[in-house]
Every structure is written in C-alpha cells, then in structure tokens.
Amino acid sequence: MLNRLQIIEERYNKIQEMLQDGEIVKDVKKMTSLMKEMRSLEKIVEKYHDYRDTSEQIKELKIMAKDSDPEISEMAEAELANAEVKLPKLEEELKILLLPKDPNDEKNVIFEIRGAAGGDEGNIFAGDLFRMYTRYAESRGWKVEVLSAEEADLGGFSKIEFMVEGDNVYSFMKYESGAHRVQRVPETESAGRIHTSTATVLVMPEADEVDVELNMEDVRVDIFCSSGPGGQSVNTTKSAVRVTHIPTGIVVSCQDGKSQHENKANALKVLQARLYDKITQERLEKEGKERLSKIGHGDRSEKIRTYNYPQNRVTDHRIGFTIQQLDRVMEGKMDPIIEALVSEDQKRALSGQTE
C-alpha cells in the first residue's frame, strides 16, 4: 500500500509541475484533464501525508516516553496513546480511498420512476419518490430538470424522467435502482386497511459521446402533439418528440420541453443514457460474480426497499438496514440510508480484495 501511495504522491506532484507549464496552460483540453486527475488524487495525498506524519510522530513520542523527566514522559505517553489509535483509522481510510473507482461516479444521472403494482396508489407513490429525490438533490445543491412526465389522473406519475446535475451525483444515487415498496392506508380506503404498492426506479449515468457513439442513421424521430393525464391533448402544436433506436428497439418520448428542439435534445440524451445502461448491464451480466458483490446494479424487478407508513419505518432489504424516520426520509433527508449503502459497498469491496 505504501508503495502505491508514494507513486500517487509522485504523480500528484508531477501534475502540479505540469500545470505551471505555459504550453499546457494554452491547451484547454489537456489542462482540464490534468486538473480533473489532480482533484481525484488530492484526498489520497492529503490522507497519506496525515498517515505519514502520524507514523513519524509515534516514533518520536516513543523516544520521548523514555525521557528521564517524568513530566515529559507522561505527556508523551498520553499523546502516544492518541496517535496509536489514530494510525489504524487512517490506514483503513486510505484502503477505502485506494479502492478502484466506479468510472461513472462523477457523472450526472437520469432517473426514470414508474408507478407499478397498486394502480393509482403506485402512481401516487411514484410522485412521492420524485419529491423525495428532488428534496435530497436540493439539500446537496444539485439541479433537477424534468425531461418527460406522464401525470396520473389521481396524482403522481405513471412515469417521470428527470436529470440530476451536480458533483458526483451517480456516486450517491447509483444505489436507488430497483422496486420500491410502500405500505400505507390510501386516502380512498374507507375501511382503514393497509395496502401494498410499488414504484420502480431506474438510475442511469449520463452518457457522452465517448461512452456511446449515437449514429443518427439508426434513429427514427417522430413528432406528435403533447398529451396530459388521461391522454387528452394539451396543445395543438406538434412539439412532443419520440425517438426510436432501430437496432435495439429502445423508444424514448419527451414532451415537457418548451419547444420541439428541446424535446428532441432531451429525448436523445435519455436514449444515449439507456444505450449506455444497456451496454453496462450486459458487461455486468458477463462478470456475474462481481455483479452479485455490488449493491448499485439491481434491475427494476429487484425489491430493494420498503416504506412502511404506519410504523414510520424504512427498510433497505439489500443490507438489512432499518431506520424509524420515514417522515424525514420522504422530506429528502436520505443521508443515513445513502451512508449505510456506501459503507456496505466499501466493506464488500475491501473483503473482495483480501479474498
């Protein structure tokens, strides 16, 4: 591990030198790439310096603890005890920082939420989930943009697609794909019985041209009138756009933009993300065992979480995590759940490296 850390530190210092080079400063693409790499190494280097300083401090304190002056010896022993507790913690933090990074972690994401089992109640719950994710995004300073929405007659959405933009969005949101189950008494239930409904969530990293080269000759574009709940036409101009990727049969429709041009751009953005997600899932299928060890790659049929309103409880079934704060979670205070998932993912990755 120390050898790897030394190599990383050398690379970090080299990048700092390169960024002083006038020729590189003129090359915007090269400079941007180097700055991005430097930021990715910065936390590791800082933690390594802390680890190295603490190791040196322990050596010095061990010598001071043998000093003939009792006051110096006692002070050194107290500081030594603290440093010896700190060092293994720093070592564990470094191991986590050195884990292979998911190449998509820094990307924006495209969400798709659909009402599933439970009819109207499933659609209403899909709306609740959209609100939850929106509130969480706001708390982190991320931007949310609705790309396409199919509102349901009694509230919520039969389907909604939206983009979340910000720092490292995918690293936090990649655990949300799967079936989300709600247990509560619907407002329309006169007998007070608890109903179980579901909504499905799909989280896709935003794809760029490097990830997926989209050949427009493979794409059919159809223009039609936008529609609202129940399928009624909401305007007379043909601004809604449907794009079909002929080789895969993937279809994406967008109608919530201000213009046909905006809807087409959004539809192509979602299509690219779907194609990239398809490629990623196929790769994970081949890897098999590795996929089973990860948390963030469930498909929409996998039941990942239950939201129980009578008990104010949220349970994530993948890691056996339960929190009695459903009211807070639905207001976007998702940090305890996300942190538990990240921690478990890191633990599995560490155990996989040591097997």
Side-chain angles (χ1 to χ4, degrees):
M1 184 179 82
L2 293 177
N3 287 339
R4 281 183 67 193
L5 288 166
Q6 286 168 6
I7 292 167
I8 288 168
E9 183 187 35
E10 287 168 9
R11 176 61 182 166
Y12 181 79
N13 293 336
K14 178 68 176 173
I15 293 170
Q16 285 188 316
E17 288 176 22
M18 291 167 74
L19 288 171
Q20 303 301 316
D21 187 325
E23 291 302 312
I24 287 176
V25 172
K26 292 175 189 174
D27 187 339
V28 177
K29 192 173 180 181
K30 178 71 173 173
M31 188 176 171
T32 304
S33 174
L34 285 171
M35 288 184 72
K36 185 178 178 181
E37 185 183 354
M38 188 174 79
R39 282 196 302 271
S40 72
L41 300 178
E42 200 162 36
K43 280 187 181 178
I44 300 173
V45 172
E46 286 175 358
K47 193 69 69 177
Y48 173 45
H49 288 168
D50 198 0
Y51 176 85
R52 195 170 57 191
D53 292 346
T54 304
S55 297
E56 289 300 316
Q57 186 186 21
I58 287 171
K59 289 177 187 176
E60 292 170 8
L61 289 169
K62 281 181 177 178
I63 295 169
M64 290 173 66
K66 295 174 183 175
D67 197 280
S68 57
D69 186 329
E71 194 173 321
I72 292 174
S73 174
E74 189 177 329
M75 181 191 72
E77 283 178 0
E79 289 186 20
L80 180 62
N82 290 332
E84 286 181 333
V85 169
K86 182 182 177 182
L87 192 68
K89 288 181 180 176
L90 288 171
E91 189 172 340
E92 284 305 305
E93 288 170 6
L94 278 168
K95 285 179 183 175
I96 289 169
L97 287 170
L98 289 171
L99 286 171
K101 296 285 187 295
D102 187 323
N104 295 318
D105 274 351
E106 295 182 2
K107 294 188 175 185
N108 301 323
V109 303
I110 292 174
F111 267 87
E112 179 198 276
I113 305 177
R114 291 176 181 262
D120 293 329
E121 182 63 17
N123 293 336
I124 292 167
F125 183 49
D128 294 338
L129 289 176
F130 170 64
R131 183 171 177 272
M132 176 184 78
Y133 290 127
T134 301
R135 291 289 178 89
Y136 180 66
E138 288 170 354
S139 74
R140 300 201 71 92
W142 298 338
K143 177 188 170 187
V144 176
E145 179 189 358
V146 174
L147 302 175
S148 178
E150 295 175 12
E151 295 181 20
D153 293 328
L154 296 184
F157 304 95
S158 57
K159 185 178 82 167
I160 182 167
E161 291 172 319
F162 57 99
M163 175 172 277
V164 182
E165 298 176 271
D167 293 334
N168 301 302
V169 180
Y170 186 75
S171 68
F172 293 91
M173 296 283 88
K174 62 185 175 184
Y175 307 103
E176 296 305 301
S177 287
H180 295 241
R181 182 175 69 171
V182 62
Q183 295 173 326
R184 62 185 174 190
V185 180
E187 291 181 12
T188 54
E189 173 56 65
S190 56
R193 290 175 299 185
I194 295 171
H195 287 224
T196 297
S197 309
T198 59
T200 60
V201 175
L202 179 62
V203 180
M204 300 172 286
E206 183 185 17
D208 53 36
E209 290 177 9
V210 176
D211 300 319
V212 178
E213 188 178 343
L214 188 60
N215 185 350
M216 288 306 294
E217 291 181 3
D218 293 335
V219 179
R220 188 177 72 241
V221 180
D222 299 309
I223 312 299
F224 59 100
C225 291
S226 300
S227 62
Q232 74 265 28
S233 178
V234 294
N235 64 35
T236 54
T237 60
K238 291 189 174 183
S239 61
V241 175
R242 182 188 302 110
V243 295
T244 304
H245 188 247
I246 297 165
T248 61
I250 295 173
V251 179
V252 177
S253 299
C254 282
Q255 64 177 32
D256 286 73
K258 297 185 179 79
S259 66
Q260 185 186 120
H261 176 76
E262 187 178 335
N263 282 325
K264 182 180 177 183
N266 286 340
L268 291 173
K269 197 178 288 185
V270 175
L271 176 60
Q272 248 186 326
R274 286 190 179 284
L275 288 170
Y276 184 46
D277 182 64
K278 186 175 187 297
I279 292 166
T280 303
Q281 292 299 326
E282 286 171 354
R283 178 177 59 79
L284 290 169
E285 291 287 348
K286 288 178 184 175
E287 290 171 1
K289 185 181 176 183
E290 183 189 346
R291 184 184 180 195
L292 292 173
S293 71
K294 292 182 177 178
I295 295 171
H297 300 287
D299 60 35
R300 283 188 294 190
S301 64
E302 179 191 358
K303 184 184 75 179
I304 65 165
R305 197 175 294 151
T306 294
Y307 302 73
N308 185 295
Y309 275 74
Q311 297 176 19
N312 196 34
R313 168 175 59 81
V314 182
T315 298
D316 195 289
H317 304 290
R318 296 163 295 179
I319 59 173
F321 177 83
T322 294
I323 186 170
Q324 305 286 150
Q325 296 179 9
L326 172 63
D327 52 344
R328 288 172 57 81
V329 170
M330 297 311 291
E331 287 299 318
K333 295 177 173 62
M334 297 179 64
D335 284 327
I337 299 173
I338 302 293
E339 286 167 9
L341 287 160
V342 171
S343 178
E344 178 62 23
D345 211 13
Q346 290 171 343
K347 192 191 298 182
R348 292 185 188 184
L350 282 170
S351 65
Q353 281 197 347
T354 55
E355 283 174 7

